[in-house]
Amino acid sequence: MTHPFDQITTQELQAATKLVKDAHAASDAVHFVQVDRIDPPKSEMVRYLEAEKEGRSLPIIPRRAYVYYYTKQTEFNKAIVNLTYGHVITKQRMPQGVVGPVLGDDMVEIEEYALRDPIVLAEIAKLKLPTGYDVRCEPWIYGTDNPKEDRLLIQVYMYLIGSNKHVESNHYSLPLKFSPVFEMFTNKFVRMDYLPAGLDEKTCETFPWEELKPVEYFPSINGEDTLRELKPLIYQQPEGPSFSINGNAVEWQGWKFMVVPNAREGFAIYDVSFKGRSVLYRLALSEMTVPYGDPRAPYHRKQAFDLGDCGFGANADSLALGCDCLGVVKYLDVVRTDKHGNPVTIAHSVCMHEQDYGLLYKHVNYRTGTSVQARRREFVVQTVATVANYEYVVNIVFDQAGAISVQVRATGILSTMPIEVGKTVDWGTVVAPGVLAAHHQHLLSFRIDPAIDGHKNTVVYDDVVTMELNTALNPFNVGFISKRSYVEKPGFVEQSPFTNRAFKVINELVINPTTLKPVGYKIDMPARQMILGSPDSYNVKRAKFATQQLWAVKYADDELYAAGEFTNQSQKDTGVAAFLENQDSIRNDDVVLFATMALTHVPRAEDFPVMPTDMLPQINILPFGFFEKNPALDIPQSVNSFNKSVYYDDSVQIAVNAASGSCCSKEKL
Amino acid sequence: MTHPFDQITTQELQAATKLVKDAHAASDAVHFVQVDRIDPPKSEMVRYLEAEKEGRSLPIIPRRAYVYYYTKQTEFNKAIVNLTYGHVITKQRMPQGVVGPVLGDDMVEIEEYALRDPIVLAEIAKLKLPTGYDVRCEPWIYGTDNPKEDRLLIQVYMYLIGSNKHVESNHYSLPLKFSPVFEMFTNKFVRMDYLPAGLDEKTCETFPWEELKPVEYFPSINGEDTLRELKPLIYQQPEGPSFSINGNAVEWQGWKFMVVPNAREGFAIYDVSFKGRSVLYRLALSEMTVPYGDPRAPYHRKQAFDLGDCGFGANADSLALGCDCLGVVKYLDVVRTDKHGNPVTIAHSVCMHEQDYGLLYKHVNYRTGTSVQARRREFVVQTVATVANYEYVVNIVFDQAGAISVQVRATGILSTMPIEVGKTVDWGTVVAPGVLAAHHQHLLSFRIDPAIDGHKNTVVYDDVVTMELNTALNPFNVGFISKRSYVEKPGFVEQSPFTNRAFKVINELVINPTTLKPVGYKIDMPARQMILGSPDSYNVKRAKFATQQLWAVKYADDELYAAGEFTNQSQKDTGVAAFLENQDSIRNDDVVLFATMALTHVPRAEDFPVMPTDMLPQINILPFGFFEKNPALDIPQSVNSFNKSVYYDDSVQIAVNAASGSCCSKEKL
């Protein structure tokens, strides 16, 4: 039987698009861009989950889907359909100026069209390319600089493929200096933009191309003839994994939750409990924006919103066994629509597996030499999305002591622009001859919907400050205390690293018998630089969420996305900054957090032609006075009869078996 | 043949102590506390390393050792001996007020004595303990609060062992309210301190003990009868490891360096190069201090310097195969002295092994669906020290792309104090009935001696700032640039997270042909709260290094320790803050960095009775325009024929073999 949180099925997606098609005349030329399940209203869902836990009969909650689609090439529409009873609930054309997300397939069509467009071909001709060179192009979300613009536009950046003509040649290493702009769907040529490549904003007409050598990353052409010798390190799980997964429902080491792939967020995690106690209602990446620091037209329009503009799940990679995930691996698939409304399955868009990550705890009693220790086993939920040049690796990692960490790695290929050979600028790094990688920022918003022992929670922050000096209590001036502040009204909390400010979500109605304080979880994030650019810039107006690290608002159905539902060519942020309005107190209420994970990326030469993963500062969601004591005392001690490690052999440097068995109360010799 | 960096041998240690003993009359009652090798003068060593690399004949550099010892129970002495030629170079009694480190063995003797001392026994009698209870005590470094104090003192904290009388019972969960102070070696009783346990600084005499239940962590007595089911995850390396280790010399994936255990720092890493280019001359933990936030006497004297006071290597744990380290593991042993000058080997104090840590890089060409990806293999050098209640796990981690990360985990047991049942205070957390864990800080200083393409380096910091607004270059107000500042004079660099301040060490004489800028390495650390307490407090005066995150000074032989050579009962910091004095410019010079890794620890209930590892914010030392491009293009692509992972079996939930072979160019379905 279907669970209300279960992901949309191919049948459901097909039914949804059929309902919408049937509601339109053929002449409307319905063109789908995104379809997925809508979460049930929380009020109903909470009743459902309670009934589920108590084994009572489950209320029926109709399954619903949203459908984004274009009609007549230029009209953007949204429909909501009831999947359970099979009818359209609402269907409306979005107001002028609201531009929907784009479909990867449509981007590829523009890409192909652009290389046939006569004006583009005429421009290419001016390059007088030596024989053997090919032109490749890459369509980009258009961005925003004009409040009157309401067409769905695409800017196309142009590159060359090296004379090797290899299909995997790194065109990003040979950027050209012109960029045509098209109207989506109609393929109407709008404008040719020329790219500045000097020290200022000036551009020039297209001259014959001066030969440059591409910098390749693909193994067979990257020039690395002798590879480093690396010996296999195999994750063996002879008895199978410690997790059990049934559909979207996961159980591991006391944790219970659901992992649900979707087209926009990649995946969402629902109904998280540890050792039978509720921790989170929902957790997902909510939005991200990537503004670039190059101030010059047309680069000022390079500001991607990879969830709202095109969908993180819809652009997910098919993860491969033993490549993206090791050990015993469970995969889930995401289902997206094509333009006709047919389901497209991206197999293995989410992988789940266990890994070891060092010591979880250890203590040696120096009196007896006895060591007590357990290793840290982690459960990883991973997805990787490819958004044109960049890859984002999103991991939600569970440990055995009640903590969750949200980890993101940025990899892939830097978005490049031309620069005259020998020149350097302060807003970017020269990563190859004639190639500039502009400074940029990755600002990801994670939406955390807590349920700390229930749905009425309070957001607080604790600062550590020195005590009043030269008092009877503090005569040596060494004392420091923790000072608590309550977030009474919706809004943001300022970062304050030098007071060790710690964000927490507590349940004021549940007192921890050990600490005698309310139970809670800590949201641990290092202080970071937030979005740059002036407040009046479109970059900032469109991504208010990125101006602060932590936002707290009151829960509302359908308020999931930090920058708003529709981000493509948006004029302003209709997300968290708008959710705040007309909200009163949020203390001891159904609160939701939006946490901004930020990286200001000043590119390194080492980040090109393919970038070693840049690990963004992680968000740790860990119990703080939630349990009465360390909740991981019930995991097995680590012993070598279990882990079967071996000593390095100095003589022949081949591993030999060590005496197995318990080895953890070894005394100092 | 011995390398000048090789660790001290048992024979050398014995020879050193014999030389010192022979230089004293028996009546001096020589009592050794610490002996180890001294680094060769850098000027000589640099010539040696150059000769070594060029295969020329090697200069002879005499091996030297330092010897710390007491005479006549109260006189602290330091000798320097020449191990190569076997003579004492210098030998001097340290001035009054300089107190040396203590030997773990001596702490244990005091511990045993304290429980026999008649005054202590009389105090214990007042507790009128129910039968079956035992008293346990724990000597603590005395700390500082009196400029006239020049005796080597020890404060002893008293606890009970639960009625279970188990040798591994957690006495930290039953703290008593009095603390005797003794003079070291003479065991003279100095004073009985009484511990405040209420809301203020008041203390009271000893009353009959009111029964409390201990909170146990030891598996057989912690009350966890049913353990969680965890299946084995085995690191298999059928072809052996990818590293090769010869004595102290390590080679792995293009890295070459020496790992040298020592009594004070745990281990130091020397002469680090990657792909034939010099990166570091030396890297080690230099000092750490742990001030507590409880302002009340006698807690104000709880400020440990775990390296200078007792030695991190001398207190290292014997690491166990398959417990502290997985896979194919190479161990090194540290050698310390006992009080008689005999060598004591702590077997396996350092372990080295490989681990997988997710993706190193990945890019999918959406046009072809082809994925290029490599996994991140790491080489870990690990030591764990037990300093009474606390454990510190220090990992130096090397990756395949030229980066080093310095990772520390704090675990073990919180230092506890009594609090009246039902009371709470702002400077600590109640972690069990009657048990307070005071807020405290862990401030660790890592000394980084860079050698970026040579020994003449410059320290800089880069800030990312918005460009001037409304100019022809920045008409849309979105531009931001990287602004470089040079550290011309020795001193500290302020933290500045909101300008994304990045510390770097560059070589101004070597220009990167790609970026056209000097080559360099980045020292990446998140902003943190530094030491609390007022500048006039002993806590701060003794640990100036902990007031700032990054210090840059000029290299000098024997200036290794951030808080100075002798920290026990020190009155002031004689380390980095003193090294600065009388130094002029350090630009383009032999610079050394001291980086402070900081954690303000507000204890959680979950941290007791044994603490899940608290991962301190790591220091990443990564190439920044050091290489011309990603230096990891020459590692093998990850394929399942190599990694041999398997699919999760939904039907029976037992792992089954998947088709092996290449799987990394799988296309989206």
Side-chain angles (χ1 to χ4, degrees):
Chain A
M1 179 216 170
T2 322
H3 189 286
F5 282 148
D6 282 344
Q7 66 190 93
I8 193 167
T9 64
T10 53
Q11 296 78 358
E12 286 177 324
L13 188 145
Q14 217 143 17
T17 54
K18 181 170 193 315
L19 284 166
V20 169
K21 263 183 287 189
D22 294 350
H24 279 277
S27 57
D28 286 347
V30 171
H31 182 118
F32 295 97
V33 288
Q34 198 173 97
V35 180
D36 213 325
R37 178 181 65 61
I38 302 175
D39 278 354
K42 191 172 188 176
S43 54
E44 292 178 37
M45 199 57 211
V46 165
R47 280 196 296 277
Y48 183 100
L49 294 173
E50 282 164 1
E52 194 179 36
K53 285 181 180 65
E54 295 159 15
R56 290 187 275 105
S57 66
L58 302 171
I60 303 299
I61 303 180
R63 285 171 65 82
R64 297 173 303 157
Y66 68 87
V67 182
Y68 296 154
Y69 59 104
Y70 283 86
T71 47
K72 300 178 175 154
Q73 295 192 316
T74 55
E75 307 166 350
F76 177 59
N77 307 265
K78 175 185 180 181
I80 295 176
V81 304
N82 182 317
L83 296 166
T84 305
Y85 303 116
H87 60 83
V88 175
I89 300 166
T90 63
K91 172 169 94 41
Q92 53 174 327
R93 180 177 170 189
M94 292 289 112
Q96 279 298 330
V98 173
V99 175
V102 296
L103 202 57
D105 313 349
D106 295 332
M107 296 293 260
V108 171
E109 281 188 18
I110 277 279
E111 180 173 337
E112 285 156 5
Y113 175 79
L115 296 178
R116 296 195 309 268
D117 182 85
I119 303 169
V120 175
L121 291 174
E123 203 66 39
I124 292 170
K126 297 180 191 167
L127 294 169
K128 299 201 175 8
L129 291 175
T131 48
Y133 280 79
D134 268 353
V135 178
R136 186 177 289 168
C137 70
E138 197 148 298
W140 257 72
I141 290 297
Y142 184 75
T144 305
D145 63 359
N146 173 6
K148 294 188 191 53
E149 184 58 68
D150 60 7
R151 295 170 297 180
L152 172 49
L153 300 180
I154 293 293
Q155 55 185 333
V156 180
Y157 287 99
M158 310 294 296
Y159 306 87
L160 290 183
I161 294 184
S163 51
N164 57 43
K165 268 182 151 307
H166 194 286
V167 64
E168 302 300 341
S169 181
N170 179 19
H171 60 277
Y172 301 101
S173 68
L174 300 175
L176 296 174
K177 297 179 186 170
F178 56 91
S179 166
V181 175
F182 294 94
E183 186 180 6
M184 196 86 179
F185 302 127
T186 66
N187 293 347
K188 278 193 201 126
F189 176 88
V190 174
R191 187 179 70 246
M192 184 67 75
D193 287 334
Y194 293 91
L195 310 186
L199 303 181
D200 59 22
E201 70 283 5
K202 295 191 189 58
T203 61
C204 56
E205 57 185 287
T206 301
F207 288 114
W209 184 67
E210 288 162 16
E211 189 141 6
L212 285 172
K213 239 178 120 294
V215 181
E216 304 290 3
Y217 64 89
F218 192 73
S220 62
I221 55 174
N222 67 8
E224 302 288 350
D225 306 324
T226 55
L227 297 185
R228 279 184 244 172
E229 191 194 23
L230 189 70
K231 302 280 181 66
L233 194 164
I234 299 165
Y235 278 24
Q236 278 271 342
Q237 301 187 263
E239 299 172 27
S242 311
F243 55 83
S244 121
I245 300 176
N246 181 0
N248 295 111
V250 179
E251 291 192 30
W252 179 77
Q253 291 289 297
W255 289 99
K256 289 187 184 188
F257 50 87
M258 292 183 72
V259 176
V260 183
N262 68 48
R264 179 158 179 155
E265 299 164 313
F267 66 87
I269 293 183
Y270 293 88
D271 191 27
V272 180
S273 68
F274 183 65
K275 293 196 158 188
R277 286 172 66 190
S278 164
V279 175
L280 301 176
Y281 179 74
R282 193 181 195 276
L283 169 65
L285 174 59
S286 168
E287 190 52 86
M288 63 181 288
T289 190
V290 184
Y292 283 76
D294 193 325
R296 305 168 297 177
Y299 304 129
H300 69 290
R301 279 192 278 94
K302 278 176 78 172
Q303 182 185 21
F305 291 79
D306 291 336
L307 277 72
D309 289 353
C310 54
F312 210 71
N315 287 277
D317 297 337
S318 280
L319 302 179
L321 190 70
C323 304
D324 303 289
C325 339
L326 296 191
V328 177
V329 185
K330 168 64 178 176
Y331 291 96
L332 295 174
D333 309 335
V334 73
V335 180
R336 66 171 180 91
T337 185
D338 70 8
K339 65 184 177 184
H340 308 297
N342 302 317
V344 178
T345 297
I346 301 174
H348 298 181
S349 69
V350 173
C351 71
M352 292 178 275
H353 59 94
E354 292 177 274
Q355 67 188 19
D356 176 280
Y357 196 48
L359 288 164
L360 179 64
Y361 58 77
K362 179 182 178 76
H363 180 61
V364 177
N365 180 348
Y366 66 81
R367 297 165 185 80
T368 61
T370 300
S371 179
V372 163
Q373 67 207 331
R375 296 196 63 84
R376 177 186 170 90
R377 184 75 64 93
E378 298 181 331
F379 182 80
V380 181
V381 183
Q382 172 170 275
T383 194
V384 183
T386 295
V387 191
N389 56 298
Y390 251 117
E391 267 72 16
Y392 295 96
V393 182
V394 176
N395 282 197
I396 306 289
V397 178
F398 296 80
D399 79 1
Q400 295 159 297
I404 302 169
S405 34
V406 179
Q407 303 173 354
V408 175
R409 302 182 186 199
T411 179
I413 304 184
L414 293 159
S415 179
T416 58
M417 41 206 54
I419 184 168
E420 287 157 29
V421 173
K423 290 196 162 70
T424 65
V425 293
D426 293 336
W427 54 80
T429 303
V430 177
V431 294
V435 184
L436 181 69
H439 306 337
H440 55 281
Q441 298 184 285
H442 303 273
L443 299 136
L444 294 84
S445 180
F446 284 86
R447 182 177 178 279
I448 305 167
D449 184 347
I452 307 300
D453 273 343
H455 298 282
K456 292 253 175 292
N457 292 164
T458 297
V459 180
V460 302
Y461 53 95
D462 294 339
D463 294 286
V464 177
V465 296
T466 54
M467 294 173 72
E468 190 190 344
L469 300 181
N470 305 309
T471 62
L473 182 59
N474 186 31
F476 306 97
N477 298 339
V478 297
F480 51 89
I481 58 170
S482 184
K483 217 167 109 292
R484 173 153 293 184
S485 307
Y486 292 81
V487 177
E488 303 280 355
K489 305 238 162 283
F492 59 81
V493 180
E494 291 269 6
Q495 300 184 78
S496 180
F498 304 127
T499 61
N500 197 59
R501 180 163 295 175
F503 312 129
K504 286 163 191 158
V505 183
I506 64 172
N507 187 326
E508 296 189 70
L509 308 176
V510 181
I511 301 303
N512 184 311
T514 300
T515 63
L516 309 175
K517 304 269 177 76
V519 298
Y521 258 70
K522 181 178 175 184
I523 313 293
D524 186 34
M525 307 171 70
R528 302 296 288 185
Q529 181 174 46
M530 290 291 119
I531 192 169
L532 290 154
S534 74
D536 70 351
S537 68
Y538 276 112
N539 282 4
V540 176
K541 283 191 291 187
R542 301 176 69 202
K544 283 252 181 67
F545 77 85
T547 61
Q548 299 291 339
Q549 188 178 47
L550 191 85
W551 300 81
V553 298
K554 185 175 289 194
Y555 174 88
D557 291 328
D558 308 325
E559 288 189 351
L560 292 177
Y561 309 123
E565 186 174 8
F566 302 110
T567 58
N568 193 5
Q569 294 176 217
S570 64
Q571 302 286 329
K572 65 184 182 62
D573 183 328
T574 56
V576 65
F579 303 159
L580 301 174
E581 291 161 18
N582 325 317
Q583 289 190 356
D584 48 6
S585 162
I586 54 167
R587 182 164 175 176
N588 193 17
D589 204 334
D590 190 357
V591 292
V592 173
L593 301 174
F594 288 84
T596 311
M597 182 187 282
L599 169 68
T600 300
H601 185 188
V602 175
R604 310 177 298 152
E606 291 82 358
D607 292 337
F608 200 71
V610 63
M611 183 175 149
T613 48
D614 199 331
M615 301 189 196
L616 278 72
Q618 66 187 38
I619 302 172
N620 294 315
I621 303 171
L622 69 162
F624 190 94
F626 185 71
F627 297 101
E628 294 179 39
K629 62 178 183 177
N630 181 348
L633 295 178
D634 61 345
I635 62 175
Q637 292 287 294
S638 61
V639 294
N640 201 36
S641 52
F642 184 80
N643 289 322
K644 300 197 169 21
S645 293
V646 298
Y647 288 108
Y648 174 81
D649 182 332
D650 296 285
S651 58
V652 289
Q653 300 184 0
I654 287 169
V656 293
N657 284 309
S660 70
S662 173
C663 50
C664 298
S665 60
K666 191 167 193 174
E667 299 194 12
K668 292 183 188 180
L669 303 183
Chain B
M1 177 215 172
T2 322
H3 189 284
F5 283 147
D6 282 345
Q7 66 189 93
I8 193 168
T9 65
T10 53
Q11 296 77 359
E12 286 176 323
L13 189 145
Q14 217 142 16
T17 54
K18 181 169 192 314
L19 284 166
V20 169
K21 265 183 288 190
D22 293 351
H24 280 278
S27 58
D28 286 348
V30 171
H31 182 118
F32 296 96
V33 289
Q34 198 172 98
V35 179
D36 213 325
R37 176 182 65 61
I38 302 175
D39 279 353
K42 192 172 188 177
S43 54
E44 292 178 38
M45 199 58 211
V46 166
R47 279 195 296 278
Y48 183 99
L49 295 173
E50 281 163 1
E52 195 178 34
K53 286 180 182 65
E54 293 159 17
R56 291 188 274 106
S57 66
L58 301 170
I60 304 298
I61 303 180
R63 285 170 65 83
R64 297 174 303 157
Y66 69 87
V67 182
Y68 297 153
Y69 60 103
Y70 283 86
T71 48
K72 301 179 175 152
Q73 297 191 315
T74 55
E75 306 166 349
F76 177 59
N77 308 264
K78 174 185 180 181
I80 295 177
V81 303
N82 183 317
L83 297 167
T84 305
Y85 303 116
H87 60 83
V88 174
I89 301 166
T90 63
K91 175 168 91 45
Q92 55 174 327
R93 181 178 169 186
M94 292 289 114
Q96 279 298 329
V98 173
V99 174
V102 296
L103 203 56
D105 312 348
D106 295 331
M107 296 292 259
V108 171
E109 282 188 18
I110 278 279
E111 181 173 336
E112 285 156 5
Y113 175 79
L115 295 177
R116 297 195 308 269
D117 182 84
I119 303 167
V120 175
L121 292 174
E123 203 67 38
I124 292 170
K126 298 180 190 167
L127 294 169
K128 297 197 170 21
L129 290 175
T131 49
Y133 280 79
D134 267 354
V135 178
R136 186 178 288 169
C137 69
E138 197 147 300
W140 256 73
I141 291 296
Y142 184 75
T144 304
D145 64 0
N146 172 7
K148 295 192 189 51
E149 184 57 70
D150 62 8
R151 295 170 297 178
L152 173 50
L153 300 180
I154 292 293
Q155 55 185 334
V156 180
Y157 288 98
M158 310 294 295
Y159 306 87
L160 290 182
I161 293 184
S163 51
N164 57 43
K165 269 183 153 303
H166 194 287
V167 65
E168 302 300 341
S169 181
N170 178 20
H171 60 277
Y172 300 101
S173 68
L174 300 176
L176 296 174
K177 297 180 186 169
F178 56 90
S179 167
V181 175
F182 293 93
E183 188 180 7
M184 195 83 179
F185 303 126
T186 66
N187 293 346
K188 279 192 200 128
F189 176 87
V190 173
R191 188 179 67 248
M192 184 67 76
D193 289 334
Y194 292 90
L195 310 185
L199 303 181
D200 59 22
E201 69 283 4
K202 294 191 187 57
T203 62
C204 56
E205 57 185 289
T206 302
F207 289 114
W209 186 67
E210 289 162 16
E211 189 142 7
L212 285 172
K213 235 177 122 297
V215 181
E216 304 289 4
Y217 64 89
F218 191 74
S220 63
I221 55 175
N222 66 8
E224 302 288 349
D225 306 326
T226 56
L227 297 185
R228 278 183 246 173
E229 191 195 22
L230 189 70
K231 303 279 181 67
L233 194 163
I234 298 165
Y235 278 23
Q236 278 272 343
Q237 301 186 263
E239 298 173 27
S242 311
F243 55 82
S244 117
I245 300 176
N246 181 359
N248 294 110
V250 179
E251 291 191 30
W252 179 76
Q253 290 290 295
W255 289 99
K256 289 186 182 186
F257 50 86
M258 293 183 73
V259 176
V260 183
N262 69 49
R264 179 158 181 156
E265 298 164 312
F267 66 87
I269 292 183
Y270 293 89
D271 191 28
V272 180
S273 69
F274 183 65
K275 292 196 157 188
R277 287 172 65 189
S278 163
V279 175
L280 302 176
Y281 179 74
R282 193 181 195 275
L283 169 65
L285 175 59
S286 167
E287 190 51 89
M288 63 181 288
T289 190
V290 184
Y292 283 75
D294 193 324
R296 305 169 298 177
Y299 304 130
H300 69 290
R301 279 192 278 92
K302 279 177 79 171
Q303 181 185 20
F305 292 78
D306 291 337
L307 277 71
D309 288 354
C310 54
F312 210 70
N315 287 277
D317 298 337
S318 281
L319 301 178
L321 190 70
C323 304
D324 303 287
C325 340
L326 296 190
V328 177
V329 185
K330 168 64 178 176
Y331 290 97
L332 296 174
D333 309 335
V334 72
V335 180
R336 67 169 179 91
T337 186
D338 70 8
K339 64 184 177 183
H340 308 296
N342 301 318
V344 177
T345 297
I346 303 175
H348 298 181
S349 69
V350 174
C351 70
M352 292 177 275
H353 59 94
E354 291 176 276
Q355 67 189 19
D356 175 281
Y357 196 48
L359 287 166
L360 179 65
Y361 59 77
K362 179 182 179 74
H363 181 60
V364 176
N365 179 348
Y366 65 82
R367 298 164 186 80
T368 62
T370 300
S371 178
V372 163
Q373 66 208 327
R375 294 196 64 82
R376 176 186 170 90
R377 183 75 65 90
E378 298 182 332
F379 182 80
V380 181
V381 184
Q382 172 171 273
T383 193
V384 183
T386 296
V387 192
N389 56 298
Y390 252 117
E391 266 72 16
Y392 296 96
V393 182
V394 176
N395 282 196
I396 306 290
V397 178
F398 296 81
D399 79 2
Q400 294 159 296
I404 302 169
S405 36
V406 179
Q407 303 173 356
V408 174
R409 302 181 186 199
T411 179
I413 303 184
L414 293 160
S415 178
T416 58
M417 43 206 54
I419 184 167
E420 287 157 28
V421 174
K423 291 199 163 71
T424 65
V425 292
D426 292 337
W427 54 80
T429 304
V430 176
V431 294
V435 183
L436 181 69
H439 304 339
H440 55 281
Q441 297 184 286
H442 302 273
L443 300 136
L444 294 84
S445 179
F446 284 87
R447 182 178 178 278
I448 306 167
D449 184 347
I452 307 299
D453 273 343
H455 298 281
K456 292 254 175 291
N457 292 163
T458 297
V459 180
V460 302
Y461 53 96
D462 294 339
D463 294 288
V464 177
V465 296
T466 54
M467 294 173 72
E468 190 190 344
L469 300 181
N470 305 309
T471 62
L473 183 58
N474 185 32
F476 306 97
N477 298 339
V478 298
F480 50 89
I481 58 170
S482 184
K483 217 168 107 292
R484 173 154 292 184
S485 307
Y486 293 81
V487 177
E488 303 279 357
K489 304 239 161 281
F492 58 82
V493 181
E494 291 270 4
Q495 301 184 78
S496 181
F498 304 127
T499 60
N500 197 59
R501 179 164 294 176
F503 311 130
K504 287 164 192 158
V505 182
I506 64 172
N507 187 325
E508 296 191 71
L509 308 176
V510 182
I511 301 303
N512 184 311
T514 300
T515 63
L516 310 175
K517 303 268 177 76
V519 297
Y521 258 69
K522 180 178 175 185
I523 314 293
D524 185 34
M525 308 171 69
R528 302 294 289 183
Q529 181 174 48
M530 291 290 119
I531 192 169
L532 289 154
S534 74
D536 70 351
S537 68
Y538 277 111
N539 281 5
V540 175
K541 283 191 291 188
R542 300 176 70 203
K544 283 252 183 66
F545 76 85
T547 60
Q548 299 292 338
Q549 187 179 47
L550 191 86
W551 300 80
V553 298
K554 186 176 289 194
Y555 173 89
D557 290 329
D558 309 324
E559 288 189 352
L560 292 178
Y561 309 124
E565 185 174 8
F566 302 111
T567 58
N568 194 4
Q569 294 176 216
S570 64
Q571 303 286 330
K572 64 184 182 61
D573 183 329
T574 56
V576 65
F579 303 159
L580 301 174
E581 291 161 20
N582 325 318
Q583 288 189 357
D584 46 9
S585 162
I586 54 166
R587 182 166 176 175
N588 193 17
D589 204 333
D590 189 358
V591 292
V592 172
L593 301 175
F594 288 84
T596 311
M597 181 186 282
L599 170 68
T600 299
H601 185 186
V602 175
R604 309 177 298 152
E606 292 82 358
D607 292 337
F608 199 71
V610 63
M611 182 176 149
T613 48
D614 199 331
M615 301 188 196
L616 278 71
Q618 66 187 40
I619 303 172
N620 294 314
I621 303 171
L622 69 162
F624 190 94
F626 185 71
F627 297 100
E628 294 179 39
K629 61 179 183 177
N630 180 349
L633 294 177
D634 61 345
I635 61 175
Q637 293 287 296
S638 61
V639 295
N640 201 35
S641 53
F642 184 80
N643 289 321
K644 299 196 171 16
S645 294
V646 298
Y647 288 107
Y648 174 82
D649 182 332
D650 297 284
S651 58
V652 289
Q653 300 183 0
I654 285 169
V656 293
N657 284 309
S660 69
S662 172
C663 51
C664 298
S665 60
K666 192 168 193 171
E667 299 193 12
K668 294 184 185 177
L669 304 182

